[in-house]
């Protein structure tokens, strides 16, 4: 389901119950198109997310943590100026559209009471958040500035008069009378999701098709079916996440039309909790993509460069296998110098190194026989010297590729909060330049994720290479157990026990498989070993360790199992 007018209507009810008369205590703008208001209401803090994201626009309460930029954007500075400490008076939906007005009151610098309206328009790529002076109707600022050259209908700029989006000439299903609804349903040429959307305002595709399915099942009881559906929404909402093989749907109540597709569903206590579950991974990946774009490009380029370097060095090693032949040719030319006429481009001699088998030797006609021999000796010596280094260089390059693979794997599964620590790691390793010109306050180090096994044993999972080192080499006790996907980039996992149960080991192994490059695979090999058998070679990259006495388990990671273990 999309965040349609029906869902917006129900969300307004949910937010009103929790937030009305609450006071804004903090305002944040963690991402370009998203604002978070911390509102103190009914003795607790509520985190209200207002998202104007082009793909994930929504309004909800959230429990997800966000990382704020070092320099606050101009829009959030304006919001803090006008709304810090303001009291939320009303939350209103405009008709049954995806437009919400949050009305606040506060006293200005002169002590006069002032009313401000925070407008949220949830309209795909045209979504926006803006602040109005209710008395004047003027825009104080908008999260996206839209000038007349971009939109001839209206401008969204500070000082401009706020003009509402064009209204649809459709019936509001929540305000229409029974006779009006009966008349519309009776005069439709055919009951379908599309026909309902054309006549009623704010019906998303999934809601319209669900309504059509229910109406067609009882064609002689259309009004009763309609009334029953909207009463169920208003009085008995059951926020439901429905999954098919290819898609997920969020709905305010279970939709039988979706359940008939052979799906699985999960219910939640609130619409906001439902949206956290639905949008969390999708929005997180999008944010990570935005934040980590530079890192990903840099690491991928380094990976390709090292692949090319490895290929060249392996070719050098292959070429060095013929070094002995160059020495033999030099020796043969020196031995049979008198038999080799000057000015020829090749000669065939008996090779006494290979039971006098004839061997063809290419010559430079411009050089003497001795000079040709010395040329072969020089090539031999050059390759011999190269062999001494190339083996070590190949090993170094392979280690570099392994490290870069681990970083790419971490970027794939990282949340927005982990990106700064991966960036810091890449700066420490010399892959990125430190752009900080001023000495900034030392940020608090990120902590590993904590999980609890079924029997209550603590399990810790590192989220980047620096954290993996800290967890395995400093935090873990020698008697604890360590797990890692076998020969696969992934997280270090520590079982905080010297004698873990078989169940705990299998659960920790599933975590190690899930937080690895092969999280989508079946039968992922995971090594288990006690921490005392692990050591880090001198000069090795972050996250790299060697170990012995391991035992290998094969597990298939499931996200629902991982979520159950989250502490």
């Amino acid at each position: 389901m999309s965040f349609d007018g029906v869902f917006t209507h129900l969300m307004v009810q949910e937010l009103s119950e929790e937030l009305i008369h609450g006071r804004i205590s903090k305002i944040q703008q963690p991402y370009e198109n998203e604002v978070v208001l911390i509102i103190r209401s009914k003795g607790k803090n509520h985190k209200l997310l207002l998202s104007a994201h082009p793909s994930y626009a929504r309004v909800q309460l959230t429990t997800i943590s966000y990382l704020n930029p070092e320099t606050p954007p101009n829009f959030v500075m304006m919001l803090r100026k006008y709304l810090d400490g303001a009291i939320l008076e009303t939350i209103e939906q405009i008709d049954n559209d995806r437009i919400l007005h949050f009305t606040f009151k506060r006293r200005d610098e002169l002590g006069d009471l002032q009313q401000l309206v925070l407008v949220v328009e949830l309209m795909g790529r045209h979504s926006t958040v803006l602040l109005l002076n209710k008395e004047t109707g003027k825009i104080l600022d908008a999260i996206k500035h839209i000038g007349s050259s971009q939109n001839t209908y209206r401008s969204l700029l500070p000082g401009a008069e706020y003009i509402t989006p064009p209204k649809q000439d459709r019936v509001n299903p929540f305000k229409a009378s029974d006779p009006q609804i009966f008349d519309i349903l009776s005069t439709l040429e055919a009951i379908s999701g599309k026909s309902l959307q054309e006549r009623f305002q704010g019906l998303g595709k999934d809601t319209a098709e669900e309504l059509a399915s229910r109406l067609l099942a009882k064609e002689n009881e259309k009004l009763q079916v309609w009334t029953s559906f909207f009463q169920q929404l208003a009085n008995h909402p059951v926020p439901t996440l429905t999954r098919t093989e290819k898609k997920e749907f969020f709905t305010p109540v279970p939709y039988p039309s979706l359940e008939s597709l052979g799906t699985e569903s999960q219910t939640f206590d609130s619409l906001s909790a439902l949206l956290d579950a639905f949008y969390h991974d999708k929005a997180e990946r999008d944010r990570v993509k935005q934040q980590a774009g530079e890192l990903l490009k840099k690491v991928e380029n380094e990976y390709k460069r090292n692949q090319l370097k490895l290929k060249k060095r392996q070719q050098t090693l292959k070429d060095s296998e013929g070094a002995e032949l160059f020495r033999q040719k030099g020796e043969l030319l020196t031995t049979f110098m008198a038999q080799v006429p000057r000015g020829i481009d090749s000669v065939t001699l008996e090779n006494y190194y290979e039971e006098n088998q004839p061997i063809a030797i290419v010559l430079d006609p411009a050089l003497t026989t001795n000079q040709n021999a010395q040329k072969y000796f020089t090539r031999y010596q050059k390759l011999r010297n190269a062999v001494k280094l190339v083996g070590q260089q190949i090993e170094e390059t392979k280690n570099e590729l392994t490290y870069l693979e681990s970083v790419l794997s971490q970027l794939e599964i990282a949340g927005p909060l982990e990106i700064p620590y991966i960036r810091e790691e890449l700066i420490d390793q010399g892959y990125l330049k430190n752009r900080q010109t001023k000495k900034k306050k030392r940020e608090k180090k990120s902590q590993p994720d904590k999980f609890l096994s079924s029997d209550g044993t603590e399990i810790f999972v590192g989220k980047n290479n620096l954290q993996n080192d800290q967890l395995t080499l400093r935090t873990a006790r020698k008697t604890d157990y360590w797990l890692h996907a076998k020969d696969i980039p992934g997280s270090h996992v520590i079982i905080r026990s010297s004698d873990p149960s078989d169940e705990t080991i299998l659960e920790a192994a599933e975590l190690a498989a899930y937080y690895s490059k092969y999280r989508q695979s079946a039968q992922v090999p995971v090594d288990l070993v006690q921490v005392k058998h692990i050591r880090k070679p001198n000069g090795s990259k972050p996250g790299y360790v060697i170990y012995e006495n391991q035992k290998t388990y094969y597990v298939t990671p499931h996200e629902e199992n991982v979520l159950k273990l989250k502490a």
Side-chain angles (χ1 to χ4, degrees):
M1 176 179 181
S2 59
F3 202 111
D4 64 4
V6 172
F7 201 93
T8 303
H9 181 93
L10 301 175
M11 181 59 76
V12 168
Q13 293 179 350
E14 179 173 296
L15 296 179
S16 296
E17 291 175 6
E18 296 291 339
L19 302 179
I20 293 299
H21 306 310
R23 181 186 297 272
I24 293 182
S25 61
K26 192 178 293 186
I27 305 173
Q28 302 167 333
Q29 189 180 347
Y31 304 105
E32 181 182 6
N33 298 316
E34 295 178 329
V35 172
V36 175
L37 306 179
I38 310 299
I39 299 178
R40 183 75 179 176
S41 175
K42 298 181 179 179
K44 62 181 291 189
N45 289 331
H46 302 270
K47 194 183 298 182
L48 176 64
L49 172 66
L50 311 176
S51 174
H53 190 285
S55 301
Y56 311 124
R58 64 197 187 281
V59 172
Q60 64 165 110
L61 296 176
T62 182
T63 58
I64 297 171
S65 298
Y66 296 96
L67 183 68
N68 291 308
E70 294 176 21
T71 304
N74 291 333
F75 182 65
V76 79
M77 293 299 289
M78 183 279 304
L79 290 182
R80 290 172 181 174
K81 175 183 176 182
Y82 286 99
L83 293 182
D84 192 28
I87 303 296
L88 178 59
E89 288 191 311
T90 61
I91 306 174
E92 178 187 5
Q93 180 187 20
I94 306 304
D95 294 324
N96 194 41
D97 211 342
R98 292 166 296 167
I99 303 173
L100 290 88
H101 286 190
F102 294 80
T103 303
F104 296 89
K105 68 177 180 180
R106 71 183 288 272
R107 295 195 179 275
D108 59 19
E109 295 86 350
L110 301 177
D112 297 328
L113 199 62
Q114 187 179 35
Q115 281 195 315
L116 300 156
V117 181
L118 192 61
V119 180
V120 184
E121 298 176 358
L122 307 173
M123 298 180 176
R125 62 189 181 91
H126 300 295
S127 300
T128 190
V129 180
L130 54 93
L131 187 65
L132 300 177
N133 183 311
K134 188 173 183 178
E135 184 179 354
T136 64
K138 300 288 186 181
I139 298 174
L140 296 172
D141 205 352
I143 200 167
K144 302 175 184 176
H145 287 184
I146 307 295
S148 56
S149 61
Q150 298 167 277
N151 189 328
T152 56
Y153 177 76
R154 63 175 184 164
S155 294
L156 299 179
L157 296 171
E161 182 178 352
Y162 175 65
I163 300 173
T164 59
K167 293 186 177 180
Q168 299 176 331
D169 185 21
R170 297 174 187 173
V171 176
N172 184 339
F174 288 99
K175 293 184 178 180
S177 64
D178 286 353
Q180 189 178 11
I181 292 171
F182 181 80
D183 180 60
I184 293 173
L185 295 178
S186 300
T187 56
L188 286 176
E189 290 186 8
I191 298 291
S192 68
K194 186 176 181 181
S195 65
L196 293 176
Q197 284 183 294
E198 290 173 350
R199 298 300 303 274
F200 292 97
Q201 184 186 31
L203 296 186
K205 180 181 177 182
D206 301 327
T207 303
E209 290 182 350
E210 171 64 18
L211 258 174
S213 174
R214 296 188 183 199
L215 291 167
L216 289 170
K218 296 182 179 180
E219 293 193 61
N220 297 325
E221 302 175 26
K222 291 188 179 71
L223 184 58
Q224 292 93 322
V225 170
W226 181 278
T227 303
S228 174
F229 177 72
F230 281 92
Q231 285 179 346
Q232 183 185 9
L233 292 179
N235 302 324
H236 305 288
V238 183
T240 304
L241 180 62
T242 305
R243 297 183 178 92
T244 67
E245 288 185 4
K246 297 181 179 179
K247 196 173 180 181
E248 290 184 334
F249 303 86
F250 64 88
T251 55
V253 294
Y255 281 6
S257 59
L258 295 177
E259 293 175 351
S260 64
L261 300 176
T263 60
E264 60 180 48
S265 61
Q266 180 182 0
T267 59
F268 295 84
D269 295 333
S270 67
L271 298 175
S272 292
L274 168 64
L275 294 184
D276 264 354
F278 179 84
Y279 282 112
H280 182 256
D281 285 344
K282 300 175 180 63
E284 289 280 282
R285 296 316 311 159
D286 184 79
R287 292 172 186 137
V288 169
K289 187 177 179 181
Q290 292 178 32
Q291 291 184 300
E294 175 200 359
L295 303 187
L296 198 59
K297 185 177 180 180
K298 179 66 178 176
V299 176
E300 285 176 344
N301 287 341
E302 284 291 331
Y303 189 79
K304 290 176 183 176
R305 190 175 68 84
N306 276 276
Q307 280 182 316
L308 184 60
K309 188 191 299 183
L310 179 62
K311 187 176 180 181
K312 288 181 178 179
R313 287 175 174 174
Q314 287 174 332
Q315 185 60 47
T316 301
L317 186 62
K318 186 177 180 181
D319 293 342
S320 69
E321 294 173 359
E324 181 61 24
L325 187 59
F326 290 137
R327 186 190 68 80
Q328 291 179 13
K329 289 181 178 181
E331 291 285 0
L332 292 172
L333 286 174
T334 303
T335 303
F336 301 109
M337 191 176 298
Q339 301 177 27
V340 181
R342 182 167 182 171
I344 61 175
D345 55 15
S346 67
V347 66
T348 300
L349 300 174
E350 291 183 353
N351 185 1
Y352 47 75
Y353 290 101
E354 297 290 341
E355 299 180 349
N356 292 328
Q357 292 293 321
I359 182 172
I361 303 175
V362 177
L363 302 173
D364 185 343
L367 301 178
T368 66
T369 304
N370 185 56
Q371 287 172 330
N372 273 297
Q374 293 305 316
K375 190 174 180 180
Y376 275 108
F377 286 137
T378 300
R379 292 175 68 182
Y380 164 74
Q381 195 59 48
K382 186 177 179 180
L383 287 174
R384 287 288 294 174
N385 292 337
V387 168
K388 295 176 183 178
L389 295 174
V390 76
Q392 180 183 348
Q393 290 174 336
I394 287 174
E395 189 63 28
E396 290 173 353
T397 307
K398 286 182 176 179
N399 290 338
E400 192 87 356
L401 286 169
T402 300
Y403 171 72
L404 293 171
E405 278 184 2
S406 73
V407 176
L408 288 172
S409 176
Q410 288 160 6
L411 286 171
E412 286 178 9
I413 63 176
L417 298 179
E418 276 81 62
I419 297 301
Y421 300 104
I422 296 177
R423 182 187 300 276
E424 182 182 348
E425 177 185 332
L426 292 173
I427 290 172
D428 288 345
Q429 295 303 308
Y431 294 102
L432 293 176
K433 291 182 179 178
N434 192 348
R435 295 178 179 174
Q436 297 295 333
T437 53
K438 296 180 181 178
K439 190 174 182 181
K440 68 171 186 174
K441 184 179 178 181
R442 186 73 176 173
E443 292 181 351
K444 184 180 178 182
K445 286 189 175 182
S446 66
Q447 298 299 315
D449 279 346
K450 182 180 177 181
F451 298 83
L452 290 177
S453 69
S454 299
D455 61 13
T457 304
E458 291 181 333
I459 304 172
F460 296 93
V461 178
K463 295 174 290 186
N464 56 64
N465 285 314
L466 294 177
Q467 201 176 93
N468 284 337
D469 273 359
Q470 178 71 29
L471 180 62
T472 300
L473 305 173
R474 297 178 182 85
T475 305
R477 299 172 297 208
K478 295 295 183 183
T479 54
D480 290 341
Y481 277 83
W482 178 91
L483 299 96
H484 192 283
K486 184 179 181 66
D487 300 326
I488 301 168
S491 295
H492 291 202
V493 176
I494 293 293
I495 300 175
R496 197 72 160 169
S497 171
S498 58
D499 186 24
S501 65
D502 290 340
E503 186 178 23
T504 294
I505 290 173
L506 289 174
E507 288 171 341
E510 188 169 355
L511 288 172
Y514 182 79
Y515 288 100
S516 77
K517 185 177 180 180
Y518 291 171
R519 70 189 307 174
Q520 303 295 337
S521 304
Q523 297 299 298
V524 180
V526 176
D527 282 342
L528 169 77
V529 66
Q530 211 163 16
V531 173
K532 64 183 179 181
H533 297 298
I534 297 172
R535 66 184 181 87
K536 186 175 184 66
N538 291 334
S540 59
K541 292 283 187 182
Y544 181 78
V545 295
I546 56 178
Y547 52 92
E548 56 189 4
N549 299 325
Q550 70 273 19
K551 182 177 181 180
T552 303
Y553 292 81
Y554 290 85
V555 294
T556 301
H558 297 285
E559 184 176 11
E560 56 270 24
N561 294 343
V562 171
L563 294 176
K564 288 177 184 177
L565 298 174
K566 183 72 174 174

